[in-house]
Amino acid sequence: MTDGEGGFSFEVLEQDLAGRAGRLRTRGRTVSTPALMPVVNPNLMEAPDAITPQELSDTFGFEMVITNSYIIRRSDRLREWALSEGLRSLLGFDGVVMTDSGTVQSYIYGSGSDTEVDVDPLEIVELQRDMGSDIGTILDRFTTPDTPRAQAERELATTLERARASMEVNGEMELAVPVQGGTDLGLRRASAEAVREMGAKYVPIGGVVPLLESYRYPELVDIICTSKQALGGALPVHLFGAGHPMFMPLAAALGCDLFDSASYAKFASDGRYMTRSRTLHIEEMQDLPCPCPVCSRTDAADLRSLPPALRTNAISRHNLWVLRTELVSIRSAIAEGTLWELVEGMAASNPRMHLAVRGLLKWRGYLATAAPRSSRRFMCSTDLSLARPEFERFCKEMAPSFGPIPGRNDLVLGDHTGAHRPDIVSALRAVYSTDRRVIVRTPLGPVPYEVFEMYPFSQMVTAPEDGLPPGLAAHMLEANAAIEGLPVLDEVAAGMETGTQDGLDTLRVAMIARVQFGMSGGRYADEMLFGTWKDPADLPTRMSLVVSKRTGKLRNVHLRSPEGPGVHVLSLRAEDGLFSLKWEGAVRLHAGSGPDRWRVIVEDDTAPFNGRGLNVFNKFVAGADPRIRSGDEVMVTDTQGVLYAVGRAVIDGPTMVQARAGIAVKVREGREKSLAEAPPSF
Amino acid sequence: MTDGEGGFSFEVLEQDLAGRAGRLRTRGRTVSTPALMPVVNPNLMEAPDAITPQELSDTFGFEMVITNSYIIRRSDRLREWALSEGLRSLLGFDGVVMTDSGTVQSYIYGSGSDTEVDVDPLEIVELQRDMGSDIGTILDRFTTPDTPRAQAERELATTLERARASMEVNGEMELAVPVQGGTDLGLRRASAEAVREMGAKYVPIGGVVPLLESYRYPELVDIICTSKQALGGALPVHLFGAGHPMFMPLAAALGCDLFDSASYAKFASDGRYMTRSRTLHIEEMQDLPCPCPVCSRTDAADLRSLPPALRTNAISRHNLWVLRTELVSIRSAIAEGTLWELVEGMAASNPRMHLAVRGLLKWRGYLATAAPRSSRRFMCSTDLSLARPEFERFCKEMAPSFGPIPGRNDLVLGDHTGAHRPDIVSALRAVYSTDRRVIVRTPLGPVPYEVFEMYPFSQMVTAPEDGLPPGLAAHMLEANAAIEGLPVLDEVAAGMETGTQDGLDTLRVAMIARVQFGMSGGRYADEMLFGTWKDPADLPTRMSLVVSKRTGKLRNVHLRSPEGPGVHVLSLRAEDGLFSLKWEGAVRLHAGSGPDRWRVIVEDDTAPFNGRGLNVFNKFVAGADPRIRSGDEVMVTDTQGVLYAVGRAVIDGPTMVQARAGIAVKVREGREKSLAEAPPSF
C-alpha cells in the first residue's frame, strides 16, 4: 500500500509529545526513526582509526549513513568508483545512504560560512543522483544565526530557487530540501511553508550547528517548533548536524526524526569522550563511567596509552555506543509514553539545557497538538512538568466538562494520593448524593472523584502537596482556589454511616465518557449514549454495568433495556481508565454528532474494507477531526457520512490527512462483522 | 604506616560535598570506595541462573561481596565447608568477604521485622569469625521506621548491649556495628555516638530498606546526615540494603561509602531490568536502552525468549553492569569535583528523589563541613543548586572579607558572564581607583571584581540572569539588593579614557589572599603577608608580581625589597584562581596567626620528617584547624608550634585528627629544604 518497492515513504507509528517513532522506507530498505546516521568521510574511511560503514551496520545496528558528495566529487578515484559501482559499493554499506552537498560541510569542516563552494547547484544534485544516493541534498545557502534579516532573506530566496530547480533533475533520488532562515522565526516559517508547498518529502532543518556549538538551545527550540508547525506532522524532519546525545531527547520530543553525527569520530581524534550529558577528555579521566563493549574491557589509563589510531578508533566506538543508546532510549520512551521524563532528566545537565526545557512552557500548545491523551504513567517531578500537555489539556479540554465546581454541597478530598485508600472510598460512597460530589484536590486542579480513575489523575506520580517543588505547589494552590474552604470529606464522613451510594458507579461511567469524548453541537457524548440527564439518580435506569468477577472492577457498559442488559456500548480499559468504544456506542455517537466529530473519513471505495474490519491506511483518509490524537477512539465513515467502523487512532487527525504511508486507524469493529454478530449475545 | 599487613584500615583519599573516595584495607586486600558489594546467597550460588563470585570479581571488577552467615549456619554442608576451608574457599572468591548475621536478611527475605531469629547473638559472631569473614556483623535489632519511640529505644539498647558483648569475641575479624533507631533522629544520633565511642571501625546504617522501598527518601537523608554528623569523617559507612542505582549518588554525596545489592539477582528472577533511574519489566520492553556487554549483543525479544535460568542470568549481568557503572560515575565525579551535578541530574527521575534533594537545603551546613573550597567548575543549572556549599560559603566565609559593599563611589558590572570580555577588562582598569571598585553582580551575590578570578566566581557556569530558574533568579535579586541602583560600569566608562590602573593587580593579590585565607586574631592574612594597608595605592610598594611571558597571567608574588624582588610568598594556580602558599609566605602567616589557625599539628618526633619534605600521615596528626578543607593550603607544626612544612590538605581538619590511616597533607616545601636553598635565588 506504499508507493511501491522502490518508492520513498515515511510512516508515523507512535507518538509522544510532538515526537514520534516512525519508519522511513526507500528503495526497499527501511530505517526506524528516530534515527542517527553516522557521517562517513570517504577520504578517511580506510584510515586505521576509522570505523568502517560495514561495522556501523553490523556491530552498532545503524541502518543509515550520510556521506559528502562534495568530497567525493573532488577525488577522481572516489567519483569514478561511485559513478560506476554506486555509493553502496564505494562505502561497503548495504543500508540507506544519504548524501549532502557541501553546504553543511563548508561550515563543519571550517571553511567558513561562505557557502559559495566551487560547484554548480544542479551539477551536485545530478552527481548525487548518478552515484545512487538514496537521499540527496540540494546546495542550499547556510544562513548563520546572526545574519542580518535582509541578507538572510536573499539567501533563503536563493535556497528556494535552487530547490525548485533541483527538483527537476533529481530523478529517482529523493531530495532533501532544508529549512533555512537563521534565527528569524518569520523566515523559518516562510521557508518551511515553501518547502512543504513544493512537495519535498524529506526536510532537514539547516543552519543550526552554530547554535548547538554555542549552547543557544532556547533559540533552537523556537526554530524547531516554528518550522515543524509549518511543515505539519507527515514529513520526516532531520536536524542537520545535531550529533551530541544531550540535545537529542528534546529535539525528538519536538518532532525531529533524524540526526547525523560527525562528532563521534572528530571528538575521538581529539581524545574527547562523550557521555549523555557532556564531553570529557580522556587525558583527564580516572575511570570510564560506561558499560559499553569498549569501556567494559579496558580502563582510562589503558585507553590513553594506546597508539593514536587505535585510541581514536576505540573512543569512536565508545561514542557510537553512547549515541546508539540515546537513540534506543528515545525510541523506548516514545513507545512507553515517557518521553517527557527523558527530556526532564536531561534538563539538569546544563544551565542552557534547563533554560531550553523551561522555554517549552511557551510551546505547550504545540506540544499538546499531537500528543496522545493517555499513557500508563504521568510523572510530576520538577516544575518543568508544568509544560506537559496534561496541564494544557486539563484547562482547555477536561475542566470545562466537569460542570460547576464547587457545587453547593460539595466536599473536598484534600490529598489526592489517598484517593484509593479503602476507608476513603467507603466514606466517598457514603456521602455522594444527587447534589453532593467529592472534589479531589490535585496538582492539575480540582477533579470530581467520579472521573478520578481516568488518565491522568490516578496515573499521576507526585510528591504530597507539601513536598511539591515551588512552581507546582504554586500552580496547585492557584488551580484549586475555587474549592478553598470547602468542607473536608474526612471530617464530614466521620459523622456518617459508611455505605454504598448506588448512583456513584453509573455517574462515573457518564462523567468519564463526557470528559473523554467531550461534546459535539452543544451536546455531551454521554447524553448521546445514555440520553439527557440532570440528576445522577436517573442514570442507574439507563445503563447496566458488567463488573469483573476476579477484580471487582468495572469492565463493560450496556444500555439498560426492559428485557435485560441491552447493547454493549463501552468497555473500560484497565491501563488508563478510559473507554473503548463499541460498535453500538459508535452508532449512538455517530447519530448524535456533527459531520466531522470523532470521525476519520475515508474514500468511498475503501470504506467497505474497513467495514469488514481492515485497518484504515493514511493514503485513503479524505478527512479527519483535527481534534483526534493518537490513541483516541474514532469512527470511520465514507465521504457521505455512513458509519463503517470503530477503532483506535494510530496518529493524530491532521497527520493522517497529510500522510501518504502507514496506518491511520486500527479498526476494532466493522459494520459487517457487527451486523453478522447481531443480535448481541446477552 | 597502617596497622600492618593483616590489619583493617580506611583511608579517605578525595572529598566532594560530604562524600569521599577512599580505600578500605583488610588482611592485605584492598577495596576502592564508594563500593558496592553484590549479595551472594550461598544456597543459590551454584544455581544455573546465578553469577558466581568469581565472575563478580573477574568480569565486573567487584572487590568485595557480602554473604549471609545465618544461611550458612543452617546448612551442615556449607557450615562445615566454611569452617574448615574458610569463606573464600566456599565462595570461590579471592576478594574481601563481609558477612551479615541474619538481621537484615530477616527483613529482606520476608520473614518479617521480628528480629528474634533463632540464634544466639554471640554464637553468630563467633561463627562469622571462625569462617574467616573479613567483616562480620553483630546480630542487631532491625528497628522499622514506624516503631514507637519507647520500643525503638529498647531495641537500640539491646543492639548496643550485643555490640559490646560481640566486641569481646570477634577476634581478628573486623566487626560491623550498625546504627539503628528507626526514623527517630535523636535515637539515630545517640546510636551513632555510642557506636563511635565503643570504637567500631566499620559502621552500617541499618533499618533503611523499608524507607527505600516506600520512596521515603527525604527521611533517609535526615537519618544519614544525623548519623554521619555523630560518626565523624574517619569511619567507613555502609548503607545497609541500598542496592538501586537511583539513590546511590545522593547517599554517596552524604558520606556513605559502601552499598550492597541483592536486588541485581532478585529483580532479574522477576524479569526486572534496572536502569539508572527506575526499574522496567522485560515483558514490557521493546528495546534495551543500554550498551552493556549483555544488551549490546541481544534485543528485548531475544532476552524474553531465553529459558528462565538463562534469562535471569542475563538480566542479572545487565543489572550488575548498571550498578557498576553508577559506582564508577560516582567515583569519577568525586575525583572531578562534580558530585553535585550527578546528584542534581538524578533528582528529576522521581518526585520523591527531587524532594529528597531539595531537602539538602536544610543540610547545607553539613554539606559544607567537609566539602573542598575549590574545584575546576561550578554548574548552576537548577534551583537545587542553592544547596551547594558554594552558596553557604559565600555568605559565611567570603562576603564578610570583601569589605563594605557598596563603597561610596563603586560601580556595578551587571552581567557576570561578560567579565572576561577585553573591552570590559579595559574599562574596569580605567575606572578603578583608591576609593572606587567595580562590583560584579553574580548569582551568589555582589563580588568585587578584584577577586572575580578566584573560585567559584569565574568557574561558575550559569544562564544569564534573565534565563536563571526562578529560585536562583530570586536569590540573585535578593543577594544583590545592596548594589541595586549603583551606576553601571558600561555607562560610566563610556565617558572615560581607557587605561591601566596600576594598583588593580596588587589589589587583586591582596584581596584574593584575604578571601582565600581569611583572618586570625582579628587580622587578615594579606596584612600578615604584606603589612597593614588601607589605601590600595600602598600595595604596589609592598609586592612585586611575576607574570607569565606566554599567557600574560599572574604567576608569582614576591615581597618587594629595596634590593629588588624579595622572597617568593605566593603562586597563583591557573585551575581555580587560588594561591599556593610558599615557605616564606607560610613563615609570615605563621608569625601573624593564632596557635591553631591554618595549622596541622603533628607529633613532635615525626615533624622533622615533614621538615624534610615527607607527607603528613593522619596517624601522626595531633591536632588541626577544624576549618581546614581538602585542598586548602596548610602549615605543618610540631606540638610546640614550630613550623616545619607547608603543603596542601588532602582531607578536612576534623577527619585528619580522627583518621588512623592515609595522608593528611601533601607537603610542598619543608623547613630543611627551604633552609638549604636559602638565600632565595633572586
Side-chain angles (χ1 to χ4, degrees), chain A residues 83 93 286 293 305 342 347 355 370 414 432 436 473 475 509 516 540 560 584 620 660:
Chain A
L83 285 172
F93 180 73
Q286 290 196 4
S305 66
L342 196 68
L355 182 55
Y432 252 83
R436 167 179 284 168
H475 180 274
V509 169
Q516 176 178 352
R560 191 179 280 278
E584 291 291 345
F620 303 125
R660 301 304 302 154

Side-chain angles (χ1 to χ4, degrees), chain A residues 382-614:
Chain A
T382 82
D383 288 337
L384 299 175
S385 298
L386 287 165
R388 284 189 77 129
E390 284 80 359
F391 282 88
E392 177 80 2
R393 292 232 173 93
F394 181 82
C395 298
K396 299 271 171 69
E397 292 183 1
M398 305 185 90
S401 58
F402 291 162
I405 286 182
R408 205 159 43 93
N409 298 314
D410 286 354
L411 304 177
V412 68
L413 181 65
D415 176 13
H416 68 99
T417 60
H420 297 282
R421 269 169 41 203
D423 59 321
I424 296 284
V425 170
S426 125
L428 275 159
R429 290 188 166 269
V431 300
Y432 252 83
S433 68
T434 297
D435 64 348
R436 167 179 284 168
R437 300 199 287 186
V438 175
I439 311 297
V440 189
R441 221 179 118 81
T442 82
L444 292 155
V447 175
Y449 175 72
E450 65 265 22
V451 300
F452 187 73
E453 293 291 323
M454 74 185 288
Y455 188 87
F457 310 119
S458 282
Q459 294 74 11
M460 181 160 33
V461 181
T462 68
E465 183 167 7
D466 63 0
L468 287 177
L472 277 163
H475 180 274
M476 182 165 176
L477 204 63
E478 197 189 325
N480 289 285
I483 58 167
E484 204 62 55
L486 277 197
V488 174
L489 173 70
D490 296 13
E491 294 154 16
V492 176
M496 302 182 73
E497 278 178 36
T498 59
T500 301
Q501 211 285 335
D502 285 338
L504 181 53
D505 289 326
T506 48
L507 178 63
R508 283 173 59 193
V509 169
M511 285 304 296
I512 291 175
R514 173 173 295 198
V515 175
Q516 176 178 352
F517 295 107
M519 59 163 53
S520 175
R523 257 184 109 208
Y524 277 113
D526 56 305
E527 298 176 306
M528 300 177 202
L529 291 166
F530 307 113
T532 308
W533 59 276
K534 289 222 157 148
D535 188 338
D538 297 342
L539 287 168
T541 66
R542 314 282 181 86
M543 62 180 97
S544 73
L545 308 182
V546 179
V547 168
S548 159
K549 281 183 188 140
R550 199 171 55 80
T551 64
K553 295 206 170 179
L554 176 65
R555 281 173 58 185
N556 298 330
V557 181
H558 296 253
L559 296 186
R560 191 179 280 278
S561 72
E563 311 84 59
V567 293
H568 183 181
V569 289
L570 298 169
S571 299
L572 197 68
R573 301 196 295 249
E575 69 267 27
D576 59 5
L578 299 184
F579 285 119
S580 292
L581 191 60
K582 302 298 291 180
W583 173 258
E584 291 291 345
V587 166
R588 279 152 185 86
L589 289 189
H590 180 255
S593 58
D596 78 335
R597 190 66 175 122
W598 304 306
R599 280 165 175 73
V600 175
I601 300 160
V602 299
E603 288 169 14
D604 292 346
D605 53 345
T606 64
F609 292 97
N610 309 127
R612 274 179 238 142
L614 292 168

Side-chain angles (χ1 to χ4, degrees), chain B residues 101-129:
Chain B
S101 56
T103 309
V104 175
Q105 240 62 19
S106 75
Y107 179 83
I108 291 177
Y109 291 125
S111 66
S113 61
D114 179 5
T115 59
E116 289 303 345
V117 286
D118 172 31
V119 59
D120 178 79
L122 294 188
E123 185 204 321
I124 194 76
V125 170
E126 288 163 346
L127 177 66
Q128 295 175 73
R129 176 197 69 197

